[in-house]
Amino acid sequence: MPTTSTPTHCPYCALQCGMALSPLPTGGVEVVERPDFPVNRGALCGKGRTAPAVLSSRVRLTSPLVRSGGSLVPATWEEALDRIAGEFGRVRSEHGADALGVFGGGGLTNEKAYTLGKFARVVLGTSQIDYNGRFCMSSAAAAGIKAFGLDRGLPFPLEDIPRTGCVILVGSNLAETMPPALRFFNELRENGGTLIVIDPRRTKTAEQADLHLAPRPGTDLALALGLLHLIVAEGRVDEEYVRDRTTGWEDARAAAMAHWPEYVERITGVSVPQLRETVRLFCEPEAAMVLTARGPEQHSKGTDTVGAWINLCLATGRAGRPLSGYGCLTGQGNGQGGREHGQKADQLPGYRKLDDPAARQHVAEVWGVDPDSLPGPGRSAYELLDALGSDVRSLLLMGSNPVVSAPRAAHIEERIKSLEFLAVCDVVLSETAALANVVLPVTQWAEETGTTTSLEGRVLLRRQAITAPEGVRSDLEVLHELAARLGVEKGFPTDPEEVFEELRRASAGGVADYSGITYARLTEENGAGVFWPCPAETEGEAEGEARGEAGAAGNAGAGGGAEAERGAAAKGEARGEGDGPGHRRVAGTPRLFLERFATEDGRARFVPVSHRPNAEEPDDDYPVLLTTGRVVAQYQSGAQTRRVDELNAAAPGPFVELHPRLAARLGAAEGDPLSVVSRRGRAVAPARITTGIRPDTVFMPFHWPGEGRVNTLTNPALDPTSRMPEFKVCAVRVEIAE
């Protein structure tokens, strides 16, 4: 790494891969590898390698825009900010504070997410704030809180994966969504471990698996229950662990026993022999893991589905033990931190609940306001978007593009158009920004300093490497200026480190306790980050406090021989020790739950769940199931990656993936334009014919707007707990497009 380079992290997914930026003689920067960062060890996918392309003034916004005569035209910052403040003040005066909405994003830094939540509640006084992370990992978060009392994507570092015995990977195509992470699973197999992939498609990830199960979309809940039934029937329950470390087993057991293997085979399409083989591979090693992603989570029963997979871990003693456990592969770059510090409808900083009087009191003291002045919980993301133009008259939007990314997207686009006023802060003119009354150009990853929290719960420091173009300001500056115009002169600093210092105080004592983390400490840790919870600035003190909160050390249930050696190593590493490359000393609490869970009694909770159908099943009019996902060269709504020539060359547009049998029934050939129609609308894209998908299912990626926008079709049916929409399955018909 050149001495002139700036160490930082990729702006895209939750791996937050380490990279460095080195100045070019011709201007701008280029990406340089950082082999020292333990997550990616220098490896980067195409998105990370080409990320500097979006820094170019050729593709990004460099001037505020205001709507005049139906068009967006350049304006001064003063004019743009005055207009936003004036409109927000008018709407609040005429319709009340809850007529103002705020919509954030999982790509915002911790400092921005924290300040946005504070701005909504202190300056605007509105309860109507949520963020696009609700569409990502909210079901897994809800299930984790129910079972463990705490939600952190992974309760262990990725480096533990190669040393476990078996991993069940449910609904994740990480070979395309997080390519640098695939090496952990390859190393698992090289070490003699087993990888089981569950996905309706034979993805690039599934091709690496020892066993691939291809269930019908929306049946992962039944699948997990069928596996638990077999675990009970075959006498594989860890009775001692269940007795000593859990509650609620009898009810969960009874629910699972109603899902006998042949019944589950009929529901899922996964054969009984495959179910039995899965149980054998999972239960025979001393240690094993279950990891879920959006596949089982983005459903109207996503919380119950994840809960069923957690029950599988608990019944077999595979949670809160070394090299074992349940984890969620968080998607967005700061999806973890983004849901911890207050931009979520029901949340205050530190993962505190907004309706908890003690939490309100603590945060209000940090903010210098009356606890009674803080509004209560508001609408979830889809419900907030659905209320635009009626209950919610004006919206401030940061770091999201719901015109492409929201379910039932054509309806949400109309709701956005019906707003009295829309202000958008973004790096590029996204499809949503193009509908705004005011668009503010803001800094991006390489132009600002701030922290993010990876899928491991590893808090990282992104460092500013270049100066933003003239005319561009940071989101923190925007919120500072708007707060002042709306009557709040203090409490909204523009320096990210000053914001983080306040965040530390606000999170202190909360579930996600960052109070022991400082910018200096993040720098001193050589860029490896600090795992939360971290309640004290010195490691020994932090270890003792974190152990009581979430079980930072211990070796519950470790056996003899090699397993005892692995258990001892994991016990030491839980305290921040390490013994070689990839297992360095790390700060904070890298491993949770090894002594106790974060519940009142320290026990994990079984939650009884039962299979139920999708919110929308096929019928004569809509006989095919649609599922959605990502491709390797694009990211989320594509607002940034679609502006990179190299990525567009690799993935130029949407497609409809379908099985040859379905293609034959339609009379479709490779590349033919297909019309996919649901009860909510129509999308058109070329056919991509493959045997790697079930004959009853079609797949479309969700990165594109226009006629290929798959979220025109998706179902906004909501999970009753997480309020996650059912992105992953809906009923459609497929036709040759005319």
Side-chain angles (χ1 to χ4, degrees):
M1 190 171 72
T3 56
T4 57
S5 64
T6 302
T8 188
H9 296 272
C10 178
Y12 292 115
C13 83
L15 283 181
Q16 288 297 279
C17 290
M19 60 166 62
L21 296 178
S22 183
L24 291 168
T26 55
V29 292
E30 66 176 345
V31 170
V32 179
E33 291 184 357
R34 272 184 61 193
D36 62 311
F37 188 63
V39 171
N40 62 311
R41 301 179 197 168
L44 293 167
C45 72
K47 294 186 292 292
R49 185 170 41 78
T50 61
V54 187
L55 298 169
S56 168
S57 296
R58 182 178 63 86
V59 300
R60 56 93 56 81
L61 295 168
T62 57
S63 171
L65 303 173
V66 299
R67 191 162 297 280
S68 176
S71 300
L72 287 170
V73 298
T76 67
W77 270 95
E78 294 301 307
E79 179 185 357
L81 291 166
D82 286 346
R83 187 164 175 186
I84 295 171
E87 286 294 320
F88 274 41
R90 177 190 64 80
V91 168
R92 182 169 60 182
S93 176
E94 293 178 1
H95 303 288
D98 273 358
L100 301 175
V102 177
F103 199 85
L108 301 180
T109 62
N110 290 317
E111 292 81 358
K112 293 178 184 179
Y114 170 84
T115 304
L116 189 62
K118 181 181 179 181
F119 177 84
R121 296 177 175 109
V122 172
V123 178
L124 301 182
T126 183
S127 66
Q128 301 303 302
I129 175 171
D130 210 70
Y131 82 126
N132 63 14
R134 178 80 67 172
F135 298 158
C136 187
M137 72 299 292
S138 59
S139 292
I145 291 169
K146 283 185 177 184
F148 307 131
L150 180 151
D151 156 47
R152 196 182 83 183
L154 294 180
F156 42 74
L158 285 162
E159 66 187 42
D160 284 2
I161 289 171
R163 297 182 294 154
T164 192
C166 176
V167 173
I168 300 180
L169 187 61
V170 190
S172 171
N173 182 18
L174 56 82
E176 295 200 63
T177 60
M178 297 178 171
L182 187 62
R183 67 172 179 82
F184 292 105
F185 298 87
N186 291 336
E187 289 172 8
L188 163 74
R189 299 183 69 211
E190 291 168 3
N191 292 342
T194 302
L195 175 62
I196 301 170
V197 171
I198 299 173
D199 198 302
R201 304 166 60 222
R202 187 162 181 81
T203 63
K204 291 181 180 179
T205 307
E207 290 173 356
Q208 308 300 314
D210 297 281
L211 178 63
H212 172 217
L213 309 182
R216 183 176 182 266
T219 63
D220 293 310
L221 174 53
L223 179 60
L225 287 162
L227 295 174
L228 184 52
H229 177 113
L230 284 171
I231 284 167
V232 174
E234 295 178 5
R236 296 181 184 269
V237 175
D238 188 331
E239 301 285 358
E240 182 180 357
Y241 174 94
V242 168
R243 182 190 69 237
D244 294 344
R245 299 203 63 191
T246 73
T247 62
W249 167 234
E250 290 304 320
D251 288 343
R253 178 185 182 279
M257 295 314 288
H259 298 76
W260 59 95
E262 291 77 13
Y263 172 56
V264 170
E265 181 182 68
R266 290 198 301 272
I267 294 171
T268 65
V270 177
S271 70
V272 173
Q274 283 184 310
L275 295 174
R276 294 188 183 279
E277 179 67 358
T278 301
V279 167
R280 184 187 71 80
L281 292 173
F282 183 69
C283 291
E284 285 188 353
E286 293 286 346
M289 300 174 179
V290 173
L291 304 177
T292 67
R294 307 301 79 76
E297 298 166 16
Q298 287 181 321
H299 293 272
S300 59
K301 54 180 181 290
T303 302
D304 284 357
T305 301
V306 174
W309 289 104
I310 291 175
N311 287 348
L312 196 75
C313 291
L314 295 177
T316 53
R318 307 307 178 91
R321 281 180 168 170
L323 308 180
S324 288
Y326 163 77
C328 162
L329 297 173
T330 300
Q332 293 190 78
N334 195 32
Q336 181 69 51
R339 67 185 186 264
E340 295 170 358
H341 297 301
Q343 67 171 331
K344 199 159 166 271
D346 58 351
Q347 224 168 74
L348 288 170
Y351 226 140
R352 289 180 159 90
K353 300 299 289 182
L354 189 53
D355 55 5
D356 176 0
R360 294 169 67 88
Q361 179 67 41
H362 173 85
V363 174
E365 287 180 1
V366 174
W367 288 351
V369 300
D370 184 341
D372 292 338
S373 71
L374 299 177
R379 292 176 171 90
S380 71
Y382 180 79
E383 292 165 304
L384 173 56
L385 295 172
D386 190 40
L388 298 182
S390 53
D391 294 341
V392 178
R393 307 294 185 99
S394 295
L395 183 71
L396 173 64
L397 186 146
M398 284 186 172
S400 187
N401 188 18
V403 165
V404 178
S405 63
R408 197 186 174 196
H411 169 71
I412 295 305
E413 183 176 354
E414 290 305 311
R415 300 317 310 152
I416 289 172
K417 289 177 178 177
S418 73
L419 282 164
E420 293 181 20
F421 187 80
L422 171 64
V424 173
C425 299
D426 211 331
V427 172
V428 298
L429 190 67
S430 70
E431 286 72 23
T432 305
L435 302 178
N437 301 93
V438 176
V439 182
L440 300 179
V442 292
T443 52
Q444 52 181 308
W445 61 291
E447 301 161 349
E448 60 188 12
T449 294
T451 61
T452 61
T453 307
S454 76
L455 79 171
E456 303 171 294
R458 189 192 297 257
V459 183
L460 301 162
L461 183 63
R462 286 187 192 163
R463 297 170 176 85
Q464 181 180 353
I466 60 173
T467 301
E470 185 178 354
V472 175
R473 298 185 185 180
S474 75
D475 294 286
L476 295 179
E477 291 177 287
V478 169
L479 294 173
H480 171 85
E481 292 289 343
L482 290 177
R485 284 167 169 78
L486 290 165
V488 181
E489 298 285 346
K490 297 181 179 179
F492 289 87
T494 60
D495 175 47
E497 186 169 5
E498 187 176 347
V499 175
F500 191 79
E501 286 299 304
E502 183 178 299
L503 182 156
R504 292 176 61 209
R505 298 194 303 273
S507 74
V511 174
D513 191 334
Y514 283 35
S515 60
I517 306 173
T518 65
Y519 272 33
R521 187 174 186 184
L522 291 172
T523 301
E524 290 164 3
E525 293 296 338
N526 196 30
V530 177
F531 289 81
W532 73 259
C534 184
E537 293 184 44
T538 57
E539 195 61 32
E541 182 183 354
E543 176 200 339
E545 295 186 30
R547 184 188 297 125
E549 175 67 36
N555 188 24
E563 176 60 19
E565 182 179 346
R566 287 196 296 270
K571 178 178 178 180
E573 288 168 9
R575 294 194 296 264
E577 300 166 9
D579 58 356
H583 309 302
R584 71 191 71 202
R585 183 187 185 281
V586 287
T589 314
R591 294 168 182 84
L592 302 174
F593 313 138
L594 294 181
E595 284 188 343
R596 68 189 309 274
F597 295 95
T599 56
E600 289 185 2
D601 59 5
R603 292 170 173 262
R605 304 183 188 101
F606 282 97
V607 178
V609 294
S610 296
H611 168 71
R612 58 183 185 272
N614 297 317
E616 186 176 82
E617 291 286 358
D619 57 22
D620 291 343
D621 294 326
Y622 302 95
V624 177
L625 290 171
L626 167 70
T627 192
T628 69
R630 286 171 47 187
V631 297
V632 66
Q634 301 288 353
Y635 180 72
Q636 305 299 75
S637 75
Q640 294 183 47
T641 52
R642 284 187 276 111
R643 287 166 167 80
V644 179
D645 292 340
E646 181 179 331
L647 300 179
N648 281 332
F655 55 86
V656 181
E657 188 176 277
L658 72 164
H659 193 275
R661 294 214 303 257
L662 178 55
R665 289 204 302 271
L666 298 172
E670 182 78 11
D672 283 352
L674 295 180
S675 175
V676 183
V677 184
S678 78
R679 290 176 174 85
R680 289 154 295 281
R682 175 177 181 265
V684 177
R688 183 174 293 183
I689 301 171
T690 173
T691 57
I693 191 168
R694 293 173 54 95
D696 59 1
T697 301
V698 295
F699 166 84
M700 291 185 69
F702 54 66
H703 309 291
W704 288 273
E707 70 172 6
R709 180 178 62 184
V710 69
N711 277 321
T712 297
L713 312 175
T714 49
N715 191 350
L718 299 180
D719 181 289
T721 303
S722 68
R723 315 309 287 169
M724 167 71 82
E726 191 149 87
F727 283 102
K728 281 299 179 187
V729 62
C730 69
V732 298
R733 66 174 179 268
V734 185
E735 306 162 337
I736 302 292
E738 297 182 359

